[in-house]
């Protein structure tokens, strides 16, 4: 019986609707490859943005990087977002999906990493876990792994972290520290030399996907 697989997408900070699927659609080559590999109906974007905007004091709407601020100031919000991600994965498994891959960008990688899910391939683009600023990096890491004692909840078989020294968010490799391998037996840090923009990361992904053995047509 043919394996039933799907690709989940989680966007980072956005002013309105999630952008991951639209960004893929804007790259005709990648859109075609992913549609062929998974089937268009099996590419699913999880909209965590609406939950980021819940329970928000008016004051925070005037703060720069408000989505990040709201995320870290409210544990209820973090739990609701991660419950949504887990519920989505659980539902797909109940529907018979035996291979679930997840791609996330920016803040979406942190939302996913803190979710109690077990997936196949986890690809991170520009993750704040690799923030260049030590204080911000520690804030992100400690929320996922308390004082370095615990490990993040997400588990995966394969992990690929795309980072770049030119990225103002995800500027560092991660997997030298075993906590950030998420239990993966196959893990890689890939330097892209791109900016933080998702479209740049995806264009780079296209160029090297064959070397990584991913999304073979």
């Amino acid at each position: 019986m043919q394996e039933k697989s799907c690709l989940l997408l989680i966007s980072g900070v956005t002013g309105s609707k999630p952008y991951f699927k639209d960004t893929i659609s804007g790259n005709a080559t990648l859109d075609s490859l992913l549609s062929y590999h998974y089937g268009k109906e099996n590419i699913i974007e999880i909209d965590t943005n609406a939950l980021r905007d819940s329970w928000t004091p008016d004051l925070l709407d005037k703060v720069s990087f408000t989505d990040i601020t709201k995320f870290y100031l409210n544990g209820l919000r973090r739990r609701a977002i991660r419950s949504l991600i887990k519920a989505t994965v659980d539902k797909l498994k109940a529907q018979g999906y035996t291979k679930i891959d997840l791609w996330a960008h920016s803040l979406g990688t942190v939302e996913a990493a803190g979710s109690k899910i077990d997936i196949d391939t986890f690809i991170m683009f520009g993750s704040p876990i690799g923030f260049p600023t030590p204080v911000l990096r520690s804030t992100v890491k400690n929320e996922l792994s308390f004082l370095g004692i615990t490990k993040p909840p997400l588990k995966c078989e394969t992990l690929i972290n795309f980072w770049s020294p030119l990225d103002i968010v995800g500027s560092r490799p991660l997997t030298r520290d075993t906590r950030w391998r998420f239990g993966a037996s196959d893990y890689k840090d890939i330097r892209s030399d791109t900016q933080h923009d998702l479209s740049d990361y995806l264009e780079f992904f296209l160029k090297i996907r064959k070397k990584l053995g991913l999304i073979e047509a």
Side-chain angles (χ1 to χ4, degrees):
M1 189 172 73
Q2 188 175 7
E3 186 176 54
K4 192 175 180 182
S5 62
C6 68
L7 173 62
L8 297 179
L9 307 170
I10 304 178
S11 300
V13 172
T14 173
S16 53
K17 64 177 185 175
Y19 55 78
F20 211 127
K21 200 167 187 178
D22 285 345
T23 305
I24 290 173
S25 297
N27 186 317
T29 302
L30 182 59
D31 190 40
S32 177
L33 282 168
L34 292 177
S35 296
Y36 178 84
H37 187 79
Y38 292 100
K40 213 164 186 68
E41 71 281 5
N42 298 320
I43 301 174
I44 302 160
E45 185 150 27
I46 303 177
D47 185 0
T48 61
N49 189 61
L51 290 173
R52 291 178 194 160
D53 291 336
S54 302
W55 311 299
T56 305
D58 291 339
L59 173 64
L60 288 185
D61 286 330
K62 300 176 176 63
V63 177
S64 298
F65 298 108
T66 181
D67 277 346
I68 297 174
T69 306
K70 290 183 287 187
F71 182 79
Y72 281 102
L73 286 182
N74 196 316
L76 288 173
R77 180 175 296 106
R78 292 195 299 275
R79 287 193 290 275
I81 287 170
R82 286 160 175 165
S83 292
L84 172 62
I85 295 170
K86 184 179 187 303
T88 302
V89 171
D90 289 347
K91 180 179 178 181
L92 289 168
K93 288 184 176 181
Q95 291 173 349
Y97 285 90
T98 53
K99 186 177 188 299
I100 299 175
D101 297 334
L102 171 59
W103 293 12
H105 178 240
S106 196
L107 184 60
T109 67
V110 179
E111 294 174 342
S115 303
K116 199 170 184 179
I117 56 176
D118 194 339
I119 55 175
D120 290 270
T121 298
F122 182 31
I123 300 184
M124 299 191 291
F125 299 93
S127 176
I129 301 170
F131 254 131
T133 307
V135 172
L136 291 175
R137 187 167 65 250
S138 295
T139 299
V140 174
K141 286 188 170 184
N142 287 338
E143 191 270 326
L144 291 168
S145 170
F146 181 69
L147 299 179
I149 300 170
T150 61
K151 293 183 180 180
L154 182 142
K155 303 298 177 201
C156 62
E157 297 296 323
T158 300
L159 169 69
I160 300 176
N161 172 52
F162 284 94
W163 68 282
S164 169
L166 304 178
D167 187 338
I168 61 171
V169 175
S171 68
R172 299 166 64 91
L174 302 178
T175 65
R176 293 170 187 168
D177 184 336
T178 58
R179 283 173 299 168
W180 309 109
R181 296 174 189 171
F182 303 102
S185 56
D186 180 14
Y187 50 87
K188 297 179 181 71
D189 284 299
I190 306 294
R191 174 173 169 164
S192 67
D193 289 326
T194 64
Q195 304 291 330
H196 186 62
D197 191 80
L198 177 61
S199 61
D200 293 340
Y201 271 115
L202 293 179
E203 189 61 45
F204 178 79
F205 170 86
L206 265 180
K207 292 176 183 176
I208 68 164
R209 66 182 176 81
K210 290 183 179 178
K211 292 181 181 178
L212 297 173
L214 294 172
I215 317 300
E216 300 284 355

